[in-house]
Amino acid sequence: MTTILLCDDHVVVRAGLLALLGSEPDIEVLGEAGSGEEAVALAAKLGPDVVLMDLQLGAGIDGVEATRRITALPNPPHVLVLTTYDTDADITRAINAGATGYLLKAERPEDLFAAIHSAAQGHTTLSPPVANRVMAQMRGTRPTLTERELDILGQLARGLGNREIARALFISEATVKTHLGRIYDKLGVDTRAGAVSVAKEQRLLPS
Amino acid sequence: MTTILLCDDHVVVRAGLLALLGSEPDIEVLGEAGSGEEAVALAAKLGPDVVLMDLQLGAGIDGVEATRRITALPNPPHVLVLTTYDTDADITRAINAGATGYLLKAERPEDLFAAIHSAAQGHTTLSPPVANRVMAQMRGTRPTLTERELDILGQLARGLGNREIARALFISEATVKTHLGRIYDKLGVDTRAGAVSVAKEQRLLPS
DNA sequence: CCGCGCATCAGCCGATCGGATGACCCCGGG
DNA sequence: CCCGGGGTCATCCGATCGGCTGATGCGCGG
């Protein structure tokens, strides 16, 4: 028997997961959360084996932050990310935040069940497209940006200036420029517009 | 009684809709499709009152194209778009393709039921955020870029500077800046990076 | 014929960017 | 224990950008 906590801001998705998981005899859904904050609170209170976590959560903290907080709990559950996108940035951020697995919503139900049971035992499961991207990254095909550089890139794509990026990330403008220089270097460009373009094409950023 | 056809590439979403709609006595789900092509075929075969259509369908034709084909059928059903994003481009494309309504997945179930019944009678229903965007669009700003502006945008995405863009398109630097200003205006940004980002997301540029 | 959208061009100016250089701190591994 | 990577910060400066105002020419439709 594996106990589960659901976290997704969409009612239909939660209902879908409930319906799917309800048909599995050895899976029990302890509760559901519509926001990251709620998920953290319920994870602490209910103590499930696995948390199924969406990354896009609308208002409040996002799935990555929720994952970070949940895995920081005493005796934490395993977090299985279940989302729509296989963007590099999302994948690395989720894994760095402590996620045990990364599944796409398009996955077949049987694979979802299998992944949940694997996750309950701490085993990592990645959807095939995700696994491919991770592999490609291993082979050094594409430039590997650090966590922080991806943060900068994200703000950059919002069209923010250096000062605004600095304020958004609580660092100095000088540091932003340092990171930007390295990003340009890794992406082989020398302007912000070029960086955004390459990042979108390499799927380093959601699009 | 209103008969429905579901179209979404995500199993969990379909299951969720089935579960939700199953609890409604005067709604009957005739079938479900996991791709746009399948949805068109099933719509022709089953003749539902309403098709619930997601816009992002993974492989094959997208929801907009599926909507276009379904509304081109003889005695066509009403298409109610049910998606995650309220971006201008998606909304206008869906409506131009013949969609009767445009709902967000985050909508409350009761609103979904109401929208389905409205759609069955040909009435339009828009989620509040969508309605707001449509209104804003009515009031003047329409993001239609001219050919030339798209040319500029293309060079911009290559990371070129104004002087380089000018030389690439055989015009003066001043003209480039004029176009850029108008592009910023239309896209609602004020930097080149922001313009590239929006353009890629709105699919104004190849990605 | 006149208005209007589109494309073209000019000059000005403050704000911002990009590059270069050097520095400090923390942490984990050899 | 020292090295290196990642993150942080500072200063300087020339190049570029973005906003502004204004102007010309062209084609199309009322």
Side-chain angles (χ1 to χ4, degrees):
Chain A
M1 172 61 75
T2 303
T3 57
I4 304 282
L5 171 66
L6 304 181
C7 179
D8 196 304
D9 59 328
H10 293 157
V11 176
V12 292
V13 174
R14 292 207 302 276
L17 290 170
L18 266 180
L20 284 176
L21 301 177
S23 70
E24 273 293 285
D26 46 0
I27 291 181
E28 184 187 355
V29 178
L30 297 184
E32 33 179 324
S35 73
E37 290 84 352
E38 199 183 345
V40 176
L42 286 180
K45 181 178 160 202
L46 302 176
D49 297 323
V50 175
V51 178
L52 273 187
M53 173 67 66
D54 190 11
L55 287 188
Q56 291 79 31
L57 292 179
I61 64 176
D62 69 351
V64 172
E65 181 56 29
T67 299
R68 208 185 312 279
R69 297 190 191 176
I70 289 174
T71 54
L73 291 174
N75 191 24
H78 294 287
V79 175
L80 186 54
V81 170
L82 180 66
T83 189
T84 304
Y85 304 104
D86 60 342
T87 304
D88 287 353
D90 284 340
I91 297 171
T92 58
R93 291 157 74 87
I95 291 178
N96 287 337
T100 298
Y102 195 109
L103 289 190
L104 298 182
K105 283 184 183 167
E107 212 64 59
R108 286 168 33 235
E110 310 87 71
D111 296 332
L112 174 59
F113 302 149
I116 288 176
H117 288 123
S118 290
Q121 279 149 6
H123 299 152
T124 290
T125 305
L126 301 178
S127 285
V130 176
N132 288 339
R133 305 197 74 78
V134 173
M135 287 305 151
Q137 212 155 359
M138 293 299 194
R139 294 193 203 97
T141 307
R142 87 184 63 249
T144 30
L145 298 192
T146 68
E147 186 74 11
R148 207 51 169 157
E149 284 160 359
L150 287 174
D151 288 340
I152 306 279
L153 203 47
Q155 303 303 315
L156 189 59
R158 295 176 51 202
L160 301 187
N162 290 345
R163 186 168 307 137
E164 297 167 299
I165 296 176
R167 272 201 266 270
L169 300 181
F170 306 104
I171 55 180
S172 89
E173 207 175 325
T175 306
V176 173
K177 296 182 72 172
T178 304
H179 283 307
L180 271 181
R182 274 196 281 270
I183 291 173
Y184 293 162
D185 210 31
K186 290 184 178 178
L187 297 185
V189 301
D190 56 0
T191 64
R192 348 186 108 223
V196 170
S197 184
V198 171
K200 295 266 183 183
E201 272 156 25
Q202 307 283 97
R203 301 175 56 81
L204 296 172
L205 286 176
S207 81
Chain B
M1 173 62 74
T2 305
T3 56
I4 305 282
L5 171 66
L6 304 181
C7 178
D8 195 305
D9 59 329
H10 294 157
V11 176
V12 291
V13 174
R14 292 209 302 277
L17 290 171
L18 267 180
L20 285 176
L21 301 178
S23 69
E24 273 293 284
D26 46 358
I27 290 180
E28 184 188 355
V29 179
L30 296 184
E32 34 179 323
S35 73
E37 289 85 350
E38 198 183 345
V40 177
L42 286 180
K45 181 179 161 204
L46 303 176
D49 298 322
V50 175
V51 178
L52 273 188
M53 173 67 66
D54 190 11
L55 287 187
Q56 290 80 31
L57 293 179
I61 64 176
D62 68 352
V64 172
E65 182 56 30
T67 299
R68 207 186 312 279
R69 296 189 191 175
I70 289 175
T71 54
L73 292 173
N75 190 23
H78 293 288
V79 175
L80 186 54
V81 170
L82 180 66
T83 187
T84 304
Y85 304 104
D86 60 341
T87 58
D88 289 349
D90 284 340
I91 297 170
T92 58
R93 280 166 12 117
I95 291 179
N96 287 336
T100 298
Y102 194 108
L103 289 190
L104 299 182
K105 283 183 182 169
E107 211 65 60
R108 289 174 22 241
E110 310 85 70
D111 297 333
L112 173 59
F113 302 148
I116 288 175
H117 287 124
S118 288
Q121 278 149 5
H123 300 152
T124 289
T125 304
L126 301 178
S127 285
V130 175
N132 288 339
R133 304 192 77 80
V134 172
M135 286 305 151
Q137 215 155 357
M138 292 299 197
R139 286 191 253 278
T141 315
R142 79 186 30 157
T144 317
L145 298 194
T146 69
E147 280 304 306
R148 207 52 170 160
E149 285 160 357
L150 286 174
D151 289 340
I152 306 280
L153 205 46
Q155 304 303 314
L156 189 58
R158 294 176 50 201
L160 302 187
N162 290 345
R163 188 169 307 137
E164 297 167 299
I165 296 177
R167 273 201 266 269
L169 299 180
F170 306 106
I171 56 181
S172 90
E173 206 176 326
T175 306
V176 173
K177 296 181 70 172
T178 306
H179 283 307
L180 272 180
R182 273 197 281 271
I183 291 173
Y184 294 162
D185 213 29
K186 290 183 179 179
L187 297 186
V189 300
D190 56 0
T191 64
R192 353 188 106 217
V196 171
S197 184
V198 170
K200 295 265 181 184
E201 272 158 23
Q202 311 286 101
R203 314 214 167 134
L204 297 172
L205 287 177
S207 79

